[in-house]
Amino acid sequence: MCYANALRKSETEILATKEYLRITSIAPDAKYHPTYHLNGFSHGNLYIIKMDDPEVVHPAAWGLVPHWASHNANEFWKKSNTLNARAESIFDKASFKDSAESKRCLILSNGFYEPHHVNKVSTPYFCYQPSKEYPEGDLFFFAGLYSELDNNKLSATIITTEANDFFAEVHNLKKRMPLVLDKNYHEDWFDDGLTNQDLNELMATGFTNNTFKAHPVSKDIYKKGIDTNKPYIIEPVEKDTLF
């Protein structure tokens, strides 16, 4: 599960990233602005790089809408949760199969939220990838799928996989994690010559080797009517319980 994302980088920082060297621009219609907390169920924009346009960052509504529902995304979202796609079944699920074969993407992030459970009580944890240059969280890329809607807009989903040891401790109930793709596999993810078996093997082994950290944050993100797209929402609330 990954139902909440953050992308706190400026446009200048995104274009300067060395993680994916071919980024040259952000699409003019993106209306890009940094975010501290994007709730997936709002179907706001993720920012993606498409396999057929790898130099440009595009906006994509969070929640992949398959081609047969592209004329009415809102009706599809009322009935279906496609914020995430399980790596183990993307070639079996009708909603994802076509995109898995020909519309793969990388999704920009520098932090996301996962629930941690103690005595049946859920606490949100902010997960990020610190670096020497950006100790508060460097840019990384989820493996994702996208689709094209009838209004010339895009939709997208984040691929998830079985949690590794670290994320099994953080997301300790469902034990899932978003597939943060190692930079050495970015080009491969966009290779239209790979078979389904090749892609399954890539997803099974392609999680980044870079270190993640996580800490508990405010439960405001679980509440309605509160603007949580603010810097405070990523701040730790219990400094003695960090992972």
Side-chain angles (χ1 to χ4, degrees), residues 109-175:
S109 179
N110 74 332
F112 59 95
Y113 300 81
E114 293 285 14
H116 178 74
H117 290 82
V118 176
N119 297 325
K120 298 184 179 181
V121 176
S122 175
T123 298
Y125 270 65
F126 183 66
C127 309
Y128 62 102
Q129 190 179 91
S131 67
K132 184 176 181 180
E133 185 176 3
Y134 297 106
E136 76 286 357
D138 212 339
L139 188 68
F140 54 83
F141 298 84
F142 299 124
L145 310 175
Y146 75 95
S147 69
E148 298 172 350
L149 306 181
D150 284 1
N151 56 8
N152 294 319
K153 296 186 182 299
L154 306 173
S155 68
T157 185
I158 294 171
I159 292 176
T160 67
T161 188
E162 183 178 352
N164 60 18
D165 289 345
F166 176 82
F167 281 105
E169 187 175 359
V170 177
H171 193 188
N172 59 336
L173 189 60
K174 298 291 187 179
K175 297 187 185 296

Side-chain angles (χ1 to χ4, degrees), residues 59-204:
W62 194 351
L64 188 142
V65 180
H67 65 85
W68 68 82
S70 61
H71 62 287
N72 198 331
N74 288 327
E75 283 301 312
F76 177 80
W77 287 327
K78 288 178 183 179
K79 301 174 183 178
S80 304
N81 176 1
T82 54
L83 301 178
N84 294 166
R86 294 174 67 93
E88 300 89 339
S89 59
I90 60 171
F91 296 109
D92 301 322
K93 299 290 186 181
S95 295
F96 301 133
K97 184 177 186 296
D98 290 346
S99 293
E101 293 178 346
S102 62
K103 288 184 171 61
R104 298 183 295 278
C105 65
L106 294 172
I107 300 172
L108 284 69
S109 179
N110 74 332
F112 59 95
Y113 300 81
E114 293 285 14
H116 178 74
H117 290 82
V118 176
N119 297 325
K120 298 184 179 181
V121 176
S122 175
T123 298
Y125 270 65
F126 183 66
C127 309
Y128 62 102
Q129 190 179 91
S131 67
K132 184 176 181 180
E133 185 176 3
Y134 297 106
E136 76 286 357
D138 212 339
L139 188 68
F140 54 83
F141 298 84
F142 299 124
L145 310 175
Y146 75 95
S147 69
E148 298 172 350
L149 306 181
D150 284 1
N151 56 8
N152 294 319
K153 296 186 182 299
L154 306 173
S155 68
T157 185
I158 294 171
I159 292 176
T160 67
T161 188
E162 183 178 352
N164 60 18
D165 289 345
F166 176 82
F167 281 105
E169 187 175 359
V170 177
H171 193 188
N172 59 336
L173 189 60
K174 298 291 187 179
K175 297 187 185 296
R176 301 288 295 178
M177 66 181 181
L179 177 51
V180 179
L181 204 59
D182 189 90
K183 63 181 179 181
N184 293 320
Y185 294 104
H186 290 175
E187 298 279 355
D188 293 333
W189 185 240
F190 284 173
D191 185 347
D192 60 7
L194 294 186
T195 66
N196 293 2
Q197 181 177 347
D198 292 333
L199 291 165
N200 281 328
E201 291 174 358
L202 190 158
M203 289 186 290

